[in-house]
Amino acid sequence: MMGGNDRQAYDRGSNIFSPDGRLYQVEYAREAVKRGSASVGIRTEEGVVLAASRRVRSPLLEPRSVEKLHKVDDNHGVASAGHVADARQLVDVARRAAQVERLRYGQPVTTEQLTTEVSRHIQEYTQSGGARPFGAALLVGGYVDGEARLFETDPSGTPYEWRAAAIGGGSDDLRKHLEEHYDEEMGLNDAIALARDALSDEDDEDEDGEFIAVAVVDEEGYRTVDVGEDAASDAE
């Protein structure tokens, strides 16, 4: 069994495997994600719903300044959990990848390709000396060529595709809630209601949805939705 001093030796390098095959810095980055406020994504035939709990630490803080939902391009959006600054860097990677595809080929990047590009960038930081893994996870939702898709990236650089997913604090309980109530035939409005219910159950402060941000990606593109409105209503 490894002693504490031995373990600390492997903690110092983000690209050094421990004798039992673990990368401790990646595991710590996953813990950083779990300490962040939660985000959920739900895929429907009509599009993808992204929702995030915006944790407001002071009544003096403007809730809209807490960015958890990001537009990548007209066909994609991202919900994040974990370190906000790390998430912004990854969103910039996604935006550049979307722009390059549009400029080179005159068409939108597919959601799978976009997620792969971001995941490749994340993975590089798990095997490079002098760098640390990103302490953020993303839910990437897209609607391209009439098809809605939803992916998750984690600090290891591994992408997963989901029908419905949760990241951040309380993600295990949120995922159970989604498993119990998700319906493949639900529409966007039902998915918005499910996302709000899941996040409200997780945080009592959000029972009225006041600090829950919602965005939709469908055939009309990416747009935010005011709490209390349906998917047909655009936010200012």
Side-chain angles (χ1 to χ4, degrees), residues 116-208:
T116 299
E117 289 297 321
V118 175
S119 298
R120 182 181 295 115
H121 183 78
I122 295 171
Q123 195 275 333
E124 288 177 357
Y125 280 75
T126 70
Q127 63 180 32
S128 302
R132 64 164 176 80
F134 287 91
L138 305 180
L139 293 176
V140 183
Y143 191 88
V144 180
D145 295 332
E147 182 181 20
R149 302 188 74 177
L150 174 68
F151 289 85
E152 173 196 356
T153 70
D154 86 333
S156 71
T158 305
Y160 304 92
E161 185 170 11
W162 296 86
R163 297 183 180 91
I167 55 177
S171 58
D172 291 340
D173 291 336
L174 286 169
R175 193 172 295 115
K176 290 179 182 178
H177 184 100
L178 295 174
E179 290 173 353
E180 292 174 358
H181 297 90
Y182 177 78
D183 183 352
E184 291 187 2
E185 298 182 358
M186 68 169 50
L188 281 175
N189 291 332
D190 291 334
I192 291 173
L194 175 56
R196 289 181 56 204
D197 288 345
L199 291 173
S200 296
D201 287 346
E202 182 61 27
D203 191 343
D204 292 339
E205 293 181 358
D206 292 338
E207 286 182 353
D208 60 358

Side-chain angles (χ1 to χ4, degrees), residues 76-94:
H76 296 93
V78 166
S80 64
H83 285 290
V84 175
D86 286 9
R88 286 175 178 166
Q89 290 293 319
L90 296 177
V91 170
D92 285 344
V93 171

